[in-house]
Amino acid sequence: MLLTTFKKDGTSVPTPVWVVRHGDELRVWTAPDAGKVKRIRRSGKVQVTPCGLRGKPHGGSVDAIATMLSQSEADQVLDALVQKYGLRGRLAGWRARRGDRPRAAIRITLVS
């Protein structure tokens, strides 16, 4: 999925991310020092777009609201991503869990 966040000046910043569904929400794992985290904390306004592996859009964008999840919820999101994405997910999960590296996760709720 392509997650588009917005800078203070309104400039869009699209980022391809792995996503899992959790009920009516979408969830994304990320590093807590990623730029998208800073932008989401400032303003939860985002857009989501289906995309390919390299971020090429495959459809229209939808407005959404993003909020940060707790550390324990981030671990659950990482577990779900590992399950969904198979070998690639296991490799990403292994790298993410090395040492005491902090983790973060994002909750995305589509705007009706």
Side-chain angles (χ1 to χ4, degrees):
M1 173 181 85
L2 197 60
L3 175 63
T4 302
T5 55
F6 298 91
K7 293 181 179 182
K8 285 181 187 178
D9 68 2
T11 304
S12 63
V13 182
T15 307
V17 295
W18 286 357
V19 62
V20 292
R21 190 172 183 164
H22 185 81
D24 291 339
E25 304 170 349
L26 301 175
R27 295 196 173 182
V28 173
W29 177 90
T30 189
D33 57 351
K36 62 185 161 282
V37 171
K38 177 182 174 183
R39 292 185 292 274
I40 287 169
R41 285 193 171 127
R42 187 186 55 73
S43 166
K45 178 186 170 192
V46 299
Q47 290 182 332
V48 295
T49 310
C51 73
L53 182 65
R54 304 227 187 273
K56 181 180 178 185
H58 291 177
S61 297
V62 176
D63 291 331
I65 300 296
T67 55
M68 299 307 300
L69 295 170
S70 69
Q71 176 74 42
S72 63
E73 290 171 304
D75 291 337
Q76 293 170 3
V77 172
L78 189 54
D79 291 340
L81 287 169
V82 167
Q83 258 189 310
K84 179 179 178 181
Y85 290 100
L87 179 59
R88 285 185 176 166
R90 285 193 295 277
L91 291 172
W94 175 80
R95 282 192 353 239
R97 287 190 172 103
R98 285 187 302 168
D100 288 336
R101 298 175 80 180
R103 295 178 278 285
I106 303 166
R107 171 189 296 123
I108 300 168
T109 307
L110 302 181
V111 176
S112 305

